[in-house]
Amino acid sequence: MNILIVAATSLEIAIFTHFLSERARIVSPYQYKLGRTDLQLLVTGVGSVATACRVSEILSKNHFSIAVNAGIAGAFSKDLPLGTMVHVVSDRLGDAGAEMADSAFRDTFELDLDDPNGFPFQGGWLADTFESESPSFKTLPKVKAITVNTVAGTAPTIQTRVSKYQPDIETMEGAAFFYACHVFQQPALQVRAVSNAVEIRNRDNWNIPLAVKNLNAWLIDFVSQYA
């Protein structure tokens, strides 16, 4: 098994990285051997542009048994309390488009700038591309995500995104990760830990440490199954 773990920031996978430094053989910076499994870590930087560029760069030179995008997320759904781990089965670009004169938002498909069913989209959505038999996935809620350049922090933005796409969560990288993996025919999965509710912005209500803790515990359990 050859696994690529992709994260936007080193903070999000710091505990997992420390686990590998202690339990795995270090092959080279960001490359490890854990039992029978080869692991490579990729920290892309925040946002779609950085993610698309860095993931495309590594996939142009390597193919993996599975690529996993791991990170934190904001939850629209009230059924996803802070710390909840989720499996993103579909994602889309949530703020790529134009604001109209009446303040309505039209995405690139509605503007006839792109085909919602043209590769790699399916009705404007990007799906995961790997059917995992891992027990780690069986208990995770399956969710829809939107990927945005600006996370929602006001009532009008939240209302627009919820009414338009009915997403469960939002991130700043997931759809870009899926897009690159589709282009390179790379089996891919995305998992997220909820760090905050998507609401009128209030950082006091966030719990990033809990989300990071649960995300890293999941990653350790996941890769240990293949060791």
Side-chain angles (χ1 to χ4, degrees), residues 75-96:
F76 292 98
S77 173
K78 298 188 184 305
D79 294 329
L80 300 173
L82 302 190
T84 302
M85 285 293 302
V86 297
H87 173 197
V88 179
V89 295
S90 59
D91 207 327
R92 72 182 296 147
L93 299 171
D95 61 358

Side-chain angles (χ1 to χ4, degrees), residues 108-184:
T108 56
F109 305 116
E110 295 170 313
L111 294 169
D112 294 325
L113 298 175
D114 209 346
D115 180 357
N117 292 304
F119 177 83
F121 297 104
Q122 299 175 18
W125 293 87
L126 296 155
D128 68 352
T129 57
F130 187 79
E131 292 293 333
S132 176
E133 298 299 326
S134 167
S136 299
F137 285 95
K138 292 183 178 179
T139 59
L140 297 187
K142 293 179 171 58
V143 302
K144 295 193 306 180
I146 57 172
T147 297
V148 295
N149 290 295
T150 303
V151 297
T154 65
T157 299
I158 295 168
Q159 182 178 1
T160 295
R161 291 175 182 175
V162 170
S163 62
K164 196 169 190 68
Y165 299 124
Q166 298 84 51
D168 298 298
I169 68 168
E170 71 174 6
T171 79
M172 298 181 72
E173 298 87 20
F177 167 79
F178 275 160
Y179 195 109
C181 288
H182 275 284
V183 168
F184 286 94

Side-chain angles (χ1 to χ4, degrees), residues 5 7 9-22 32 41 43 70 212-213 215-217 219-220:
I5 304 293
T9 66
S10 57
L11 167 68
E12 289 168 289
I13 57 169
I15 300 170
F16 178 62
T17 304
H18 180 70
F19 165 81
L20 292 178
S21 69
E22 289 194 329
Y32 302 85
L41 307 184
V43 176
V212 168
K213 175 185 175 183
L215 176 68
N216 284 263
L219 284 171
I220 291 169

Side-chain angles (χ1 to χ4, degrees), residues 1-10 12-17 19-20 30-32 34 37-45 51 54-55 58-59 64-71 137 177 181 186-192 215-216 218-224 226:
M1 179 69 75
N2 186 13
I3 301 174
L4 172 67
I5 304 293
V6 178
T9 66
S10 57
E12 289 168 289
I13 57 169
I15 300 170
F16 178 62
T17 304
F19 165 81
L20 292 178
Y30 303 107
Q31 290 185 300
Y32 302 85
L34 183 67
T37 299
D38 294 307
L39 287 156
Q40 183 155 347
L41 307 184
L42 176 64
V43 176
T44 61
T51 299
R54 295 297 306 282
V55 173
I58 197 168
L59 294 184
F64 300 87
S65 306
I66 179 173
V68 180
N69 184 207
F137 285 95
F177 167 79
C181 288
Q186 170 62 59
L189 288 166
Q190 182 185 171
V191 292
R192 296 279 171 169
L215 176 68
N216 284 263
W218 185 91
L219 284 171
I220 291 169
D221 178 67
F222 173 68
V223 301
S224 295
Y226 298 103

